[in-house]
């Protein structure tokens, strides 16, 4: 399902859980929750993760708002998880060389 998300380790699991179980109805609500989850983790993130997570949090609001009207169906949540995989790939590319 969301291999790119899970490849992030602990934060990826937390983000996937938030995406799949959130009570959010609208993309802005879900994006806020995703960014909040990133911000909570950021203090414990390894230095090499911080740039990627920052880039990811910058992209998530616009990406969700552009693609979704509502995010309260199981299919929409799966689509969000898949889209996050693309955002993670883009964030990795913008963060610099592979680790």
């Amino acid at each position: 399902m969301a291999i790119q998300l899970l490849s992030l380790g602990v934060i990826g699991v937390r983000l996937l859980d938030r995406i799949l179980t959130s009570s959010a109805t609208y993309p802005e609500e879900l994006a806020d929750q995703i960014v909040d989850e990133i911000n909570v983790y950021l203090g414990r993130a390894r230095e090499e993760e911080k740039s990627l997570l920052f880039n990811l949090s910058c992209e998530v609001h616009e990406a969700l708002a552009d693609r979704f009207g509502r995010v309260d169906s199981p299919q929409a949540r799966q689509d969000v998880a898949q889209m996050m995989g693309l955002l993670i790939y883009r964030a990795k590319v913008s963060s610099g060389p592979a680790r």
Side-chain angles (χ1 to χ4, degrees):
M1 180 195 331
I3 300 300
Q4 288 285 350
L5 264 175
L6 296 176
S7 74
L8 294 179
V10 172
I11 186 60
V13 171
R14 290 174 61 173
L15 290 174
L16 183 57
D17 179 60
R18 181 65 70 105
I19 290 166
L20 296 178
T21 63
S22 170
S23 62
T25 301
Y26 298 102
E28 300 83 18
E29 297 169 328
L30 185 57
D32 285 343
Q33 291 181 22
I34 290 169
V35 171
D36 286 347
E37 195 69 50
I38 290 170
N39 286 335
V40 166
Y41 180 77
L42 210 49
R44 299 184 323 206
R46 295 184 322 261
E47 200 57 42
E48 60 270 11
E49 291 177 304
K50 289 182 180 183
S51 177
L52 179 137
L53 292 173
F54 176 79
N55 288 332
L56 184 60
S57 64
C58 289
E59 297 286 330
V60 73
H61 274 91
E62 185 177 349
L64 264 68
D66 285 351
R67 177 108 191 329
F68 300 97
R70 293 177 66 112
V71 292
D72 54 346
S73 72
Q75 184 60 52
R77 296 300 175 94
Q78 288 181 350
D79 292 345
V80 168
Q82 293 296 334
M83 186 202 63
M84 289 295 292
L86 176 61
L87 292 178
I88 290 165
Y89 173 77
R90 288 174 40 188
K92 283 181 178 179
V93 168
S94 347
S95 298
R99 292 161 242 323

